[in-house]
Amino acid sequence: VTSQILKIHIIFLCLLQQALDSNLSNLIKRNNELESLMGKLIQTCQHVEVNASRQEGKLMEECDVLIDIIQRRRELIGSKIKEGKSQRIRKLAQQIANCKQCIERSSALITQADQTLKETDHARFLQTAKSINERVSMATASTQVLIPEIHLTDTFDTFALDFGREKKLLENLDYLTAPNAPSIREELCTASYDTIAVHWTSDDEFTVVSYELQYAIFTGQSNIASLCNSLDSWMIVPNIKQNHYTVHGLQSGTKYIFVVKAINQAGSRSSEPATLKTNSQPFKLDPKSAHKKLKVSHDNLTVERDETTSKKGHSQERFSSQSSYGVVGNVYIDSGRHYWEALIGGSTWYAVGIAYKSCPKHEWIGKNSASWVLCRCNNSWAVRHNSKEFAIEPLPHLRRVGVLLDYDAGCVTFYDAVGSQHLHTFHVSFAQPICPVFNVWNRCLTILTGLPIPDHLEGLDPQD
């Protein structure tokens, strides 16, 4: 029993020793950490003293500059007041001298005239009175001319001082802070097929030194977070002095995300992201390609079946078959996203789509591997490529066909542009530039181009 108690006692001592050793180590560690922290605090106090002294020195320098400016302006304005005073004094002194001289002459003349009036000898009076009368009359006239010049102003109205604005600015002197975040005004922004004009406003325009515009292609909401965390993906336009900027060289039919940063000496703040998009590339119909039985309007936007039309000559650019009444757009597309619409002018037999530049002009579009179209033949609708047709069922009275071409993604999609109904998508690995193409067998078609891609098509996955 004594042996067991001894063992328990030894174990207890060992455990106690281990606990004490562990606690001592923790205490030493914490003590070292406190010493390190205290050293950093002391160093920070020293930095505070130095930096505060530096800021006080800068404050004194800036105030001395302001005081120097005020003193120089006071001397300048004071000298103008003194100059004005001198000019007035000189004019007044000259007028006083003129008045004194006039009074002296008048007094002498008054004395002579008074003596003449007292003359009793008529002959002598007649001899001097006429001369004296003329002199008195002239003296009276000269006095009348002098009197208006004597009315000189003694005020300094032209030197009125109003330092209200300057006093307010001086009273608002304080440490500069970073400007408030600007706000992009999407309703003021405009776009073409390759440019976007971005407009913004700022509550701190007085303190803003410059703006910086950042933009990148928008691919989704997740794109915003990743972009905000990485400056490498942004295109940056620095040192903008006005509150608007036009970005050139953008991809047509593409949505971009924009951020504006307001900058001054104290720092910067950025606006909330805004998404803006370019329009589709505009194009018109190419009259040189139109079948001889088609008439293209003067604005090159409408094509009409016209049996009275008789075009002379033939070229490889013109549709030539008896049944291929076609015309192409005057643009060739080899990248980007593009959208256009065809307004159906009562036609019941037409085709709308795309084709390679090398597509044959002597056969129906859609009958070969170089063209993809949506067509209507009276009461039936279909999509056609390489002589293969797939029937579709659009909404009744289809009036506008929308075509979305995503060249890079390799797809062309047809829509009911009024009812927003998806009609068909072709998936293609494009090997050549693409041009819009149209066939009209009766009535007419009108094209609408240079349009922005509709919002409901922006998030469309071309693989869906």
Side-chain angles (χ1 to χ4, degrees):
V1 173
T2 303
S3 175
Q4 289 179 349
I5 292 174
L6 182 61
K7 287 181 180 180
I8 292 172
H9 182 69
I10 294 173
I11 292 173
F12 175 76
L13 290 175
C14 291
L15 292 175
L16 183 61
Q17 184 180 12
Q18 291 176 359
L20 178 60
D21 184 61
S22 176
N23 290 333
L24 180 61
S25 298
N26 290 333
L27 180 60
I28 293 173
K29 181 179 179 181
R30 292 287 181 261
N31 193 56
N32 291 336
E33 291 175 352
L34 286 174
E35 288 181 353
S36 176
L37 176 61
M38 185 175 66
K40 291 180 180 179
L41 291 173
I42 293 173
Q43 187 179 22
T44 301
C45 287
Q46 295 171 346
H47 290 166
V48 168
E49 291 285 348
V50 173
N51 292 332
S53 298
R54 183 184 297 114
Q55 291 298 330
E56 288 175 355
K58 289 183 179 180
L59 175 62
M60 296 302 295
E61 290 176 4
E62 293 294 337
C63 289
D64 289 341
V65 171
L66 292 177
I67 292 171
D68 182 58
I69 292 174
I70 292 173
Q71 288 178 340
R72 283 190 278 113
R73 297 306 298 176
R74 182 177 65 181
E75 292 174 1
L76 177 62
I77 297 174
S79 66
K80 290 183 178 180
I81 294 174
K82 290 178 181 178
E83 183 180 350
K85 170 187 171 183
S86 299
Q87 290 177 353
R88 283 166 172 75
I89 292 296
R90 283 197 301 270
K91 288 183 179 181
L92 290 169
Q94 182 64 41
Q95 291 298 317
I96 291 171
N98 292 339
C99 288
K100 182 178 180 181
Q101 196 176 51
C102 184
I103 290 171
E104 290 175 352
R105 289 198 300 267
S106 297
S107 297
L109 191 58
I110 289 169
T111 300
Q112 292 180 13
D114 186 55
Q115 291 176 354
T116 300
L117 289 172
K118 293 178 181 180
E119 179 63 55
T120 58
D121 188 339
H122 293 291
R124 205 176 280 178
F125 176 80
L126 291 173
Q127 184 179 1
T128 59
K130 184 177 181 181
S131 174
I132 290 296
N133 184 50
E134 290 178 355
R135 291 169 61 191
V136 170
S137 178
M138 292 177 61
T140 302
S142 64
T143 304
Q144 292 296 328
V145 172
L146 179 64
I147 287 175
E149 297 183 6
I150 296 176
H151 295 294
L152 296 174
T153 177
D154 58 356
T155 64
F156 279 70
D157 295 337
T158 56
F159 290 89
L161 300 176
D162 181 8
F163 294 137
R165 182 172 63 90
E166 289 75 10
K167 289 177 180 177
K168 185 175 181 180
L169 292 175
L170 290 173
E171 289 170 354
N172 290 332
L173 282 179
D174 202 347
Y175 283 109
L176 185 65
T177 59
N180 291 329
S183 177
I184 296 178
R185 298 286 302 277
E186 295 188 34
E187 71 278 11
L188 300 179
C189 300
T190 58
S192 71
Y193 73 97
D194 65 347
T195 67
I196 293 179
V198 187
H199 293 254
W200 59 86
T201 56
S202 173
D203 295 333
D204 295 330
E205 289 189 4
F206 183 78
T207 63
V208 173
V209 175
S210 65
Y211 297 98
E212 182 178 279
L213 180 65
Q214 303 174 352
Y215 64 96
I217 293 178
F218 176 80
T219 58
Q221 291 299 325
S222 60
N223 177 230
I224 297 179
S226 61
L227 283 173
C228 292
N229 295 328
S230 174
L231 291 177
D232 297 336
S233 302
W234 292 97
M235 296 293 291
I236 298 176
V237 183
N239 200 31
I240 301 173
K241 299 300 182 181
Q242 64 275 7
N243 60 351
H244 58 87
Y245 188 84
T246 300
V247 183
H248 297 270
L250 301 176
Q251 296 182 18
S252 61
T254 303
K255 184 177 284 190
Y256 287 82
I257 177 173
F258 289 88
V259 172
V260 177
K261 182 184 292 184
I263 304 170
N264 64 14
Q265 295 88 340
S268 64
R269 287 193 176 96
S270 298
S271 69
E272 291 295 323
T275 54
L276 305 169
K277 57 185 175 182
T278 54
N279 296 338
S280 299
Q281 184 171 351
F283 66 87
K284 294 186 176 183
L285 300 174
D286 182 5
K288 295 180 181 179
S289 69
H291 190 278
K292 64 182 181 178
K293 294 298 182 180
L294 294 180
K295 181 175 69 173
V296 177
S297 62
H298 291 298
D299 59 6
N300 294 336
L301 295 176
T302 299
V303 57
E304 180 180 8
R305 175 72 181 274
D306 185 4
E307 290 293 338
T308 64
T309 302
S310 179
K311 299 181 178 68
K312 295 181 180 180
H314 172 72
S315 68
Q316 294 182 349
E317 298 178 4
R318 189 180 300 282
F319 284 86
S320 58
S321 170
Q322 290 297 323
S323 58
S324 183
Y325 295 161
V327 62
V328 300
N330 63 352
V331 63
Y332 288 98
I333 300 168
D334 59 4
S335 65
R337 304 178 77 213
H338 309 265
Y339 178 79
W340 62 90
E341 294 179 0
L343 180 62
I344 313 303
S347 178
T348 59
W349 200 352
Y350 62 85
V352 175
I354 60 172
Y356 285 145
K357 184 178 182 180
S358 60
C359 179
K361 299 293 194 299
H362 60 275
E363 59 186 14
W364 285 21
I365 55 175
K367 290 286 188 178
N368 51 60
S369 62
S371 55
W372 299 259
V373 297
L374 176 147
C375 58
R376 176 182 180 181
C377 298
N378 293 326
N379 293 324
S380 63
W381 284 264
V383 290
R384 183 188 302 130
H385 167 64
N386 203 19
S387 295
K388 296 180 180 180
E389 290 189 1
F390 300 92
I392 60 173
E393 295 182 3
L395 294 173
H397 308 296
L398 177 62
R399 289 291 177 261
R400 272 171 36 205
V401 176
V403 182
L404 176 61
L405 170 63
D406 192 331
Y407 190 95
D408 300 321
C411 65
V412 57
T413 305
F414 299 96
Y415 298 91
D416 178 345
V418 177
S420 303
Q421 179 190 7
H422 173 264
L423 300 176
H424 186 77
T425 297
F426 286 107
H427 298 284
V428 188
S429 296
F430 295 117
Q432 301 177 32
I434 292 295
C435 67
V437 63
F438 309 89
N439 266 95
V440 180
W441 288 277
N442 68 353
R443 303 289 179 87
C444 65
L445 294 177
T446 298
I447 61 170
L448 306 173
T449 70
L451 305 173
I453 296 176
D455 290 336
H456 68 275
L457 302 183
E458 284 293 347
L460 182 72
D461 186 347
Q463 300 304 319
D464 288 345

